[in-house]
Amino acid sequence: MKQRSALDMYANGTAWWDTSISDIKKNEIIIRGYPVEELIGNISYTQMLYLLLCGEILSEKKAKLLESVLVAGADHGPRAPSIAAARMAATCGISFNSCVATGINVLGDVHGGAVEQAMRLFYSTESLLDAHPEQSVSSVVKKQFERFQREGKKLPGFGHQLHDHDPRVKRLYELAQQLVKEGEIQGCYLMIAEEYRLQLERWKQKNITMNIDGVAAAIQCELSIPAEAAKGIFALSRGMGIVAHAFEELQNGVLIKGPCPNRDDLVHYSGPLKRHLEKK
Amino acid sequence: MKQRSALDMYANGTAWWDTSISDIKKNEIIIRGYPVEELIGNISYTQMLYLLLCGEILSEKKAKLLESVLVAGADHGPRAPSIAAARMAATCGISFNSCVATGINVLGDVHGGAVEQAMRLFYSTESLLDAHPEQSVSSVVKKQFERFQREGKKLPGFGHQLHDHDPRVKRLYELAQQLVKEGEIQGCYLMIAEEYRLQLERWKQKNITMNIDGVAAAIQCELSIPAEAAKGIFALSRGMGIVAHAFEELQNGVLIKGPCPNRDDLVHYSGPLKRHLEKK
Amino acid sequence: MKQRSALDMYANGTAWWDTSISDIKKNEIIIRGYPVEELIGNISYTQMLYLLLCGEILSEKKAKLLESVLVAGADHGPRAPSIAAARMAATCGISFNSCVATGINVLGDVHGGAVEQAMRLFYSTESLLDAHPEQSVSSVVKKQFERFQREGKKLPGFGHQLHDHDPRVKRLYELAQQLVKEGEIQGCYLMIAEEYRLQLERWKQKNITMNIDGVAAAIQCELSIPAEAAKGIFALSRGMGIVAHAFEELQNGVLIKGPCPNRDDLVHYSGPLKRHLEKK
Amino acid sequence: MKQRSALDMYANGTAWWDTSISDIKKNEIIIRGYPVEELIGNISYTQMLYLLLCGEILSEKKAKLLESVLVAGADHGPRAPSIAAARMAATCGISFNSCVATGINVLGDVHGGAVEQAMRLFYSTESLLDAHPEQSVSSVVKKQFERFQREGKKLPGFGHQLHDHDPRVKRLYELAQQLVKEGEIQGCYLMIAEEYRLQLERWKQKNITMNIDGVAAAIQCELSIPAEAAKGIFALSRGMGIVAHAFEELQNGVLIKGPCPNRDDLVHYSGPLKRHLEKK
């Protein structure tokens, strides 16, 4: 992020809010140049998202692949913090959109955010490959992997608290490979991700599979989606589950619902024993 | 909302978090009964949203109609509060999902929320029609309209701060009528909405058109979507524009961007003149 | 809320952002007329809050009473939704202020918001008393109470999911009565609240105590705080506990913490049995 | 943040929610060992915040110094993103606490968050001084400063978009020095901050003053407040201005207020010219 001041840019003639995304006038809504009424009913949700974000219309096949990623991430049950926070919010008498926002607000670097980190890694690895055409994918990846090891950093895109054969991963990988076969996407990021998997597997001396963040990242790189937008895209994916769960909780009619019942193994006070203020 | 305590329900044997939406086990993610890998790549974003929210798979044609509503609401430029709040958030160094949540948090009753109010009106009008088959649509609607007038309430679904021939409305109406013609949807809510429009037109003695909230409401009623979920659905629609605009602002690299420049016609202090605390 | 358009007001000469609260210029920060450096170290947190919100400096004794209300509401343990949501947020890798915002976002009408409803009731009852000096407090209150009964509404300010002798209530009531005795506050709202308590007690034929919302409401009315600001004031009160709990969870170093463990009595799926999409 | 799983800790006997902050039972609220009713009316807002966060009662003088920091940061006018976002939110029909949360959500690393970065710097510098008692403050600081230069990082705590003689800084510095004189605080962090100021001044060859983040950071270090909590403390400080501004906007009665009027120098579309989808 370049460090610039909005006041300086305005003083130099840039409009305070300058955008290439949309132009709104009386009875006219232009999205990246297209009159919105020409888009409605003619492009999909995913194509609209991509158009807004990246400025172009994604082909139907590529759009369906991105749509698969959104569908895959939509829900992970009431124990996911994003879902639980939204469910509790729905019992507290706030506006329903605010219940959804409460859930989306927690989808940070540690809860869905690994996609962004994996994308950064894949993009930078691809740049290195571009810069060093004489080196093989596996040797470039090996060097990057070893750097991660030295820096004590965890490789994003592998491992999961629950699943070691995540049903979503195999399916997304399959759909992606089909598009490589059909020449719709290049496949270089999928290849890079696979190389990292192999490196990690050799190092850990056991089977390693990519996780949902890793395969989503590889696919989004294939589609030239910017890494910094990844947490926003996941917000619209998990947002579906958040909407559904918050609504279900609202229907229950329970008020002020906390995270769990009041039982000793669930909530415990380990602070100071009872004490009193000193007399002044 | 029935007033019940979560502790009472738990004491009576209900699980603290009881859900019909999803079941998460090791290597298994079941969404409303369907293994998630069978849904990925086989249903659309909108079908996934409807499945999570309402529990069934919407037909392709109905799903495309709902998708049109999501696409229609996706963006309304940088002066929409939801968009502006997210753009400012992106210049303040918070997690990107939190920029999106900031925008979604303001999509309340007055900013996209009229869809819910219009849906409640249309659903209750339909209930009255069901209960009184001997009365005509126009006479039932007339009575409800007169009640709104007496209570000094504004009819939701008509009028707009900017557009009087909103390009999105005509297009959505067209798509909806096509599905009525094909027998995919009944059309009774569209008819109810049209009756309200006629009533309002007669009363105001001038042309009145439905606005985007009104037509989105009628369509969502045709699809049996619950009114209370409307603000969540709009969050996923406008969420697309919010993601795109927040990302665009992030790319600018400006820091701590306020709503406008510091000019007298934009920011003005009309508080007390300079004064001082009394000596103690 | 009067329905006005910002564009109309701007067209009529009002600055887009017009405020009586503060004036910011280079090296100058004026708060309701006072240079901020004259306030720093000379007024308390509560006096600053009241000055910003209501425009005047509260006396030390009244400020201490308001401060007592803020201290009283600061925490209610990790099972309060506001606290739990913030604790989970702290394990998800978002900005720390966003953890705090996540918690504050759920302090709605049903979680701390009853203070606003009780204040509205007390203010409107006082208006009726003003308008009908010939009627006694108890007879005016009785009529309002009966109206609540008829409308099936729950009287705000009484009853609690857990406490029937809330330790905070007795203490706050005591502090408030002390200020009535010293002539610092009038005591009319405390009297109104007590009348409602008596009515409810007679009607339910059992001991009824005011709850924390009721006594906080009565006190805030004595200080002429606007009812619509109550949920904001509670946000700064509970905000203290939210900050502390979120920080404590952050220190634990646990990642992606959900609301509870995965046990059958805590999380249960009651949706459809496994099923499959129809072949297309 | 150590990487641990909540499920592992629970399996090893730790309660899911383990806290040293508060213990809530029927008619009993214990805060860090103290019955809450003994705190209400006996400790200040700041003392309650510190007790919750750090576990001990701050002396009155130290508490007043922290209170001065909270008062200093309370407001910076309607062009601050935190304030503007909350003001817009108040025109959109959401719960009032959610307006406040919207504002607090943007108080990130770039909007108030520099306090945390400055605290980290001061704490780590102090650790180096502890570890190298033979080195002078200025030589240790010089080395750290040079490291910042080499890494291209901006020193937190100095410089401001608007003020070069911030009225709040001088006043807070004064109050802090008074407590050093009285032996209430050590003054080592104030000294470290001053050394960095001198280094920056020598390097830039011009007058440099500390900014509000720098002096707040030095003071909070003197009080042993953890750096990672800084953005939460600022949330409660700026939260006061956010509450006041959101309420003022609510009173205006304007609906759906955007960031600025619709004028070409404020909002500009620089995207593609009008274009149309290709026929399928």
Side-chain angles (χ1 to χ4, degrees):
Chain A
M1 224 163 67
K2 308 175 295 293
Q3 303 221 347
R4 298 195 287 179
S5 137
L7 279 169
D8 287 344
M9 290 178 65
Y10 178 71
N12 287 335
T14 310
W16 192 258
W17 299 108
D18 191 286
T19 178
S20 301
I21 299 173
S22 53
D23 193 17
I24 314 296
K25 295 193 187 67
K26 189 173 155 88
N27 295 330
E28 192 174 69
I29 296 169
I30 307 295
I31 306 287
R32 297 281 191 181
Y34 298 97
V36 73
E37 62 273 25
E38 295 186 20
L39 301 173
I40 299 169
N42 289 325
I43 65 172
S44 68
Y45 180 92
T46 322
Q47 284 172 316
M48 184 59 156
L49 172 60
Y50 195 88
L51 176 65
L52 286 160
L53 181 64
C54 304
E56 292 305 324
I57 308 270
L58 212 51
S59 76
E60 269 198 50
K61 290 190 174 190
K62 286 176 173 171
K64 276 185 150 51
L65 182 62
L66 180 58
E67 186 171 61
S68 304
V69 172
L70 297 183
V71 166
D75 189 18
H76 206 257
R79 283 188 63 248
S82 50
I83 301 287
R87 288 192 75 119
M88 288 191 301
T91 69
C92 292
I94 62 176
S95 190
F96 190 66
N97 61 293
S98 294
C99 301
V100 176
T102 299
I104 285 175
N105 211 29
V106 314
L107 297 175
D109 281 336
V110 176
H111 184 17
V115 182
E116 176 175 344
Q117 298 151 39
M119 288 179 75
R120 289 184 194 275
L121 175 64
F122 299 162
Y123 275 136
S124 67
T125 305
E126 172 64 14
S127 297
L128 285 167
L129 284 168
D130 266 355
H132 299 278
E134 74 288 358
Q135 296 188 26
S136 66
V137 179
S138 71
S139 89
V140 169
V141 164
K142 189 167 193 284
K143 279 204 207 98
Q144 294 312 302
F145 178 75
E146 285 165 355
R147 189 170 61 86
F148 260 80
Q149 297 309 105
R150 279 192 317 266
E151 293 175 8
K153 282 160 44 172
K154 183 179 178 295
L155 203 68
F158 301 90
H160 193 274
Q161 274 194 11
L162 181 62
H163 311 296
D164 53 9
H165 282 93
D166 193 318
R168 300 167 294 181
V169 172
K170 181 162 173 250
R171 177 63 177 147
L172 282 176
Y173 195 79
E174 213 167 79
L175 289 166
Q177 287 301 349
Q178 182 58 32
L179 283 220
V180 173
K181 196 175 296 181
E182 295 177 19
E184 276 284 326
I185 57 179
Q186 262 222 309
C188 52
Y189 296 101
L190 290 159
M191 198 187 310
I192 286 169
E194 174 61 15
E195 275 300 328
Y196 276 107
R197 193 193 64 76
L198 285 169
Q199 286 291 334
L200 191 57
E201 204 168 59
R202 266 172 225 151
W203 189 76
K204 290 212 167 198
Q205 298 265 312
K206 66 173 192 179
N207 271 351
I208 293 285
T209 49
M210 248 197 306
N211 65 27
I212 186 69
D213 298 324
V215 68
I219 287 172
Q220 287 176 181
C221 287
E222 297 287 345
L223 302 176
S224 309
I225 284 167
E228 297 81 5
K231 291 201 289 269
I233 291 173
F234 184 61
L236 299 177
S237 165
R238 184 53 60 87
M240 288 194 272
I242 286 170
V243 167
H245 279 272
F247 178 73
E248 186 183 53
E249 195 61 56
L250 192 66
Q251 290 297 98
N252 282 339
V254 171
L255 303 183
I256 320 177
K257 183 169 181 174
C260 60
N262 192 1
R263 284 176 16 201
D264 291 341
D265 64 312
L266 296 176
V267 187
H268 181 255
Y269 173 68
S270 38
L273 295 172
K274 203 177 282 192
R275 52 178 171 161
H276 305 280
L277 289 176
E278 293 173 16
K279 305 288 175 203
K280 285 199 226 192
Chain B
M1 224 163 69
K2 306 176 293 296
Q3 303 221 348
R4 298 193 288 179
S5 137
L7 279 168
D8 288 344
M9 290 177 64
Y10 179 70
N12 287 335
T14 310
W16 192 259
W17 298 109
D18 191 285
T19 179
S20 302
I21 299 173
S22 53
D23 193 17
I24 314 295
K25 296 195 188 63
K26 189 174 154 91
N27 295 329
E28 192 174 69
I29 297 169
I30 307 296
I31 307 286
R32 297 281 191 182
Y34 299 97
V36 74
E37 62 273 24
E38 294 186 20
L39 300 173
I40 298 168
N42 288 325
I43 65 172
S44 68
Y45 180 92
T46 322
Q47 284 172 317
M48 184 59 157
L49 171 59
Y50 194 88
L51 177 65
L52 285 160
L53 181 64
C54 303
E56 292 305 325
I57 308 270
L58 210 51
S59 76
E60 271 199 50
K61 289 189 172 192
K62 285 177 175 170
K64 278 187 148 48
L65 183 61
L66 180 59
E67 185 171 60
S68 305
V69 172
L70 296 183
V71 167
D75 189 19
H76 205 258
R79 283 189 64 248
S82 50
I83 300 287
R87 289 193 75 119
M88 289 192 299
T91 69
C92 291
I94 61 176
S95 190
F96 189 66
N97 62 292
S98 294
C99 301
V100 177
T102 299
I104 285 175
N105 212 29
V106 314
L107 296 175
D109 280 338
V110 176
H111 184 18
V115 183
E116 175 175 346
Q117 298 151 40
M119 288 180 75
R120 287 184 194 276
L121 176 64
F122 299 161
Y123 275 136
S124 66
T125 305
E126 172 66 14
S127 297
L128 285 167
L129 285 169
D130 266 357
H132 299 277
E134 75 288 357
Q135 296 188 26
S136 68
V137 180
S138 73
S139 90
V140 168
V141 165
K142 188 169 194 283
K143 278 201 208 102
Q144 294 312 303
F145 178 74
E146 286 165 355
R147 188 170 60 86
F148 260 81
Q149 298 308 104
R150 279 192 317 267
E151 293 175 8
K153 289 176 11 190
K154 184 178 177 295
L155 203 68
F158 302 90
H160 193 274
Q161 273 195 15
L162 180 64
H163 310 296
D164 53 9
H165 282 93
D166 192 320
R168 301 166 293 180
V169 173
K170 180 163 175 249
R171 177 62 177 147
L172 282 176
Y173 196 79
E174 214 167 80
L175 290 166
Q177 288 301 349
Q178 183 58 32
L179 284 218
V180 174
K181 196 175 295 182
E182 295 177 19
E184 277 284 327
I185 57 177
Q186 262 221 310
C188 53
Y189 296 99
L190 291 158
M191 198 186 312
I192 286 169
E194 173 61 15
E195 275 298 328
Y196 276 105
R197 194 194 65 74
L198 286 170
Q199 286 290 334
L200 191 57
E201 202 167 59
R202 264 170 227 152
W203 189 75
K204 290 211 165 199
Q205 297 266 311
K206 66 174 189 177
N207 271 352
I208 293 285
T209 49
M210 248 197 308
N211 65 27
I212 184 71
D213 299 324
V215 68
I219 287 173
Q220 288 177 180
C221 286
E222 296 287 345
L223 302 175
S224 308
I225 283 166
E228 298 79 7
K231 290 201 289 268
I233 292 173
F234 184 61
L236 299 177
S237 164
R238 183 53 61 88
M240 288 193 272
I242 286 170
V243 167
H245 279 273
F247 178 73
E248 186 182 53
E249 195 62 55
L250 194 65
Q251 291 298 101
N252 282 339
V254 173
L255 303 182
I256 319 177
K257 185 169 181 174
C260 58
N262 191 359
R263 285 176 12 201
D264 291 340
D265 64 314
L266 297 177
V267 188
H268 181 256
Y269 172 69
S270 39
L273 296 173
K274 203 177 280 191
R275 53 177 170 162
H276 306 278
L277 288 176
E278 293 173 13
K279 304 287 176 202
K280 284 196 225 184
Chain C
M1 223 162 69
K2 306 176 293 296
Q3 302 222 349
R4 297 194 288 181
S5 137
L7 279 168
D8 288 344
M9 290 178 65
Y10 179 70
N12 287 334
T14 310
W16 193 258
W17 297 110
D18 192 285
T19 178
S20 302
I21 299 173
S22 53
D23 193 17
I24 314 296
K25 295 193 187 63
K26 189 174 155 91
N27 296 330
E28 191 173 71
I29 296 170
I30 307 296
I31 306 287
R32 297 280 190 181
Y34 298 96
V36 74
E37 63 272 25
E38 295 187 19
L39 300 173
I40 298 169
N42 290 325
I43 65 172
S44 68
Y45 181 92
T46 322
Q47 284 172 317
M48 184 59 157
L49 172 59
Y50 194 88
L51 176 66
L52 286 160
L53 182 63
C54 304
E56 291 305 324
I57 308 271
L58 211 52
S59 77
E60 269 199 52
K61 289 189 173 192
K62 285 177 175 173
K64 277 187 149 51
L65 182 61
L66 180 59
E67 185 171 62
S68 305
V69 173
L70 296 183
V71 167
D75 189 18
H76 206 258
R79 283 189 63 249
S82 51
I83 301 288
R87 290 193 74 120
M88 288 192 300
T91 68
C92 292
I94 61 176
S95 190
F96 190 66
N97 61 292
S98 294
C99 301
V100 176
T102 298
I104 286 176
N105 212 28
V106 313
L107 296 175
D109 281 337
V110 175
H111 184 17
V115 182
E116 175 174 345
Q117 297 151 38
M119 288 179 76
R120 289 185 193 276
L121 177 63
F122 299 161
Y123 275 136
S124 66
T125 305
E126 172 67 11
S127 296
L128 284 167
L129 285 169
D130 265 356
H132 297 278
E134 75 286 359
Q135 296 187 25
S136 67
V137 180
S138 72
S139 89
V140 169
V141 164
K142 188 169 194 285
K143 277 200 208 102
Q144 294 311 303
F145 178 75
E146 285 165 356
R147 189 169 61 86
F148 261 80
Q149 299 307 106
R150 278 191 319 266
E151 293 174 8
K153 286 173 16 186
K154 185 178 176 294
L155 203 68
F158 301 90
H160 193 274
Q161 274 195 11
L162 179 63
H163 310 295
D164 53 9
H165 283 94
D166 193 319
R168 301 166 293 182
V169 172
K170 180 164 175 248
R171 177 62 178 149
L172 283 175
Y173 195 78
E174 212 168 80
L175 290 166
Q177 287 301 347
Q178 183 59 31
L179 284 218
V180 174
K181 195 175 296 180
E182 296 177 17
E184 277 283 326
I185 56 178
Q186 261 222 308
C188 52
Y189 296 99
L190 290 160
M191 198 186 311
I192 287 169
E194 174 61 14
E195 275 298 328
Y196 276 106
R197 193 194 65 75
L198 286 169
Q199 286 290 334
L200 190 56
E201 203 167 58
R202 264 171 228 150
W203 189 75
K204 290 210 166 199
Q205 297 266 312
K206 65 173 190 176
N207 272 351
I208 293 287
T209 49
M210 246 195 310
N211 65 28
I212 185 70
D213 298 325
V215 67
I219 287 172
Q220 287 176 181
C221 287
E222 296 288 345
L223 302 176
S224 308
I225 284 167
E228 297 80 8
K231 290 200 289 268
I233 291 173
F234 184 61
L236 299 177
S237 165
R238 184 52 62 86
M240 289 193 272
I242 286 170
V243 167
H245 279 272
F247 178 73
E248 186 182 52
E249 195 60 57
L250 193 65
Q251 291 297 100
N252 283 340
V254 172
L255 303 183
I256 319 177
K257 184 169 180 174
C260 58
N262 193 359
R263 285 177 12 203
D264 290 341
D265 64 311
L266 297 176
V267 187
H268 181 255
Y269 172 69
S270 39
L273 295 172
K274 203 177 280 190
R275 53 178 170 162
H276 306 278
L277 288 177
E278 295 173 11
K279 303 289 175 200
K280 286 195 225 186
Chain D
M1 222 162 70
K2 308 175 294 293
Q3 303 221 348
R4 297 195 287 179
S5 137
L7 279 168
D8 288 343
M9 290 178 64
Y10 179 70
N12 287 335
T14 311
W16 192 258
W17 299 108
D18 192 285
T19 179
S20 302
I21 298 173
S22 53
D23 194 16
I24 314 295
K25 295 192 185 69
K26 188 173 155 88
N27 296 330
E28 191 174 69
I29 296 169
I30 306 297
I31 307 286
R32 298 279 192 181
Y34 298 97
V36 74
E37 63 274 23
E38 295 185 20
L39 301 173
I40 298 168
N42 289 325
I43 66 172
S44 68
Y45 180 93
T46 323
Q47 285 173 316
M48 184 57 157
L49 171 59
Y50 194 87
L51 176 65
L52 285 160
L53 182 64
C54 304
E56 290 307 323
I57 308 272
L58 212 52
S59 76
E60 268 198 52
K61 289 190 173 189
K62 286 177 173 171
K64 275 186 150 52
L65 182 63
L66 180 58
E67 185 170 62
S68 305
V69 173
L70 296 184
V71 166
D75 189 19
H76 206 258
R79 284 188 62 248
S82 50
I83 301 287
R87 288 193 78 120
M88 288 192 301
T91 70
C92 293
I94 61 176
S95 189
F96 191 66
N97 61 293
S98 295
C99 301
V100 177
T102 298
I104 285 175
N105 212 29
V106 313
L107 296 176
D109 281 337
V110 176
H111 184 17
V115 183
E116 176 175 344
Q117 298 152 37
M119 289 179 74
R120 290 184 193 274
L121 176 64
F122 299 160
Y123 275 136
S124 67
T125 305
E126 172 66 14
S127 297
L128 285 168
L129 285 168
D130 266 355
H132 298 278
E134 75 288 357
Q135 294 188 26
S136 67
V137 179
S138 72
S139 90
V140 168
V141 164
K142 188 169 193 282
K143 279 203 207 99
Q144 291 314 300
F145 178 76
E146 284 166 356
R147 189 169 59 86
F148 261 80
Q149 297 309 103
R150 279 192 318 267
E151 293 176 8
K153 285 165 33 181
K154 184 178 178 295
L155 202 69
F158 301 90
H160 193 274
Q161 274 195 12
L162 180 62
H163 310 297
D164 54 11
H165 281 94
D166 192 318
R168 301 167 293 182
V169 173
K170 181 164 172 248
R171 177 62 178 146
L172 281 176
Y173 195 79
E174 215 167 78
L175 290 166
Q177 288 300 349
Q178 183 59 31
L179 283 219
V180 174
K181 196 175 296 181
E182 295 178 18
E184 276 284 327
I185 57 177
Q186 262 221 309
C188 53
Y189 296 101
L190 290 160
M191 198 186 312
I192 286 169
E194 174 61 14
E195 274 300 328
Y196 277 106
R197 193 193 65 75
L198 285 169
Q199 286 291 333
L200 191 56
E201 202 167 60
R202 267 172 223 149
W203 190 73
K204 290 212 167 200
Q205 297 265 311
K206 66 173 191 179
N207 272 351
I208 293 286
T209 49
M210 249 197 306
N211 66 27
I212 185 69
D213 297 325
V215 67
I219 287 171
Q220 288 177 180
C221 287
E222 296 288 345
L223 303 175
S224 308
I225 284 166
E228 297 80 6
K231 290 202 288 270
I233 292 173
F234 184 61
L236 298 176
S237 164
R238 184 51 63 86
M240 289 193 272
I242 286 170
V243 168
H245 279 272
F247 177 73
E248 185 182 55
E249 194 63 56
L250 194 65
Q251 291 297 100
N252 283 339
V254 172
L255 304 182
I256 319 176
K257 184 169 181 173
C260 59
N262 192 359
R263 283 176 16 202
D264 291 340
D265 64 312
L266 298 176
V267 188
H268 181 255
Y269 173 69
S270 40
L273 295 174
K274 203 177 280 191
R275 52 177 171 161
H276 305 279
L277 288 176
E278 294 173 12
K279 305 286 175 204
K280 283 197 229 193

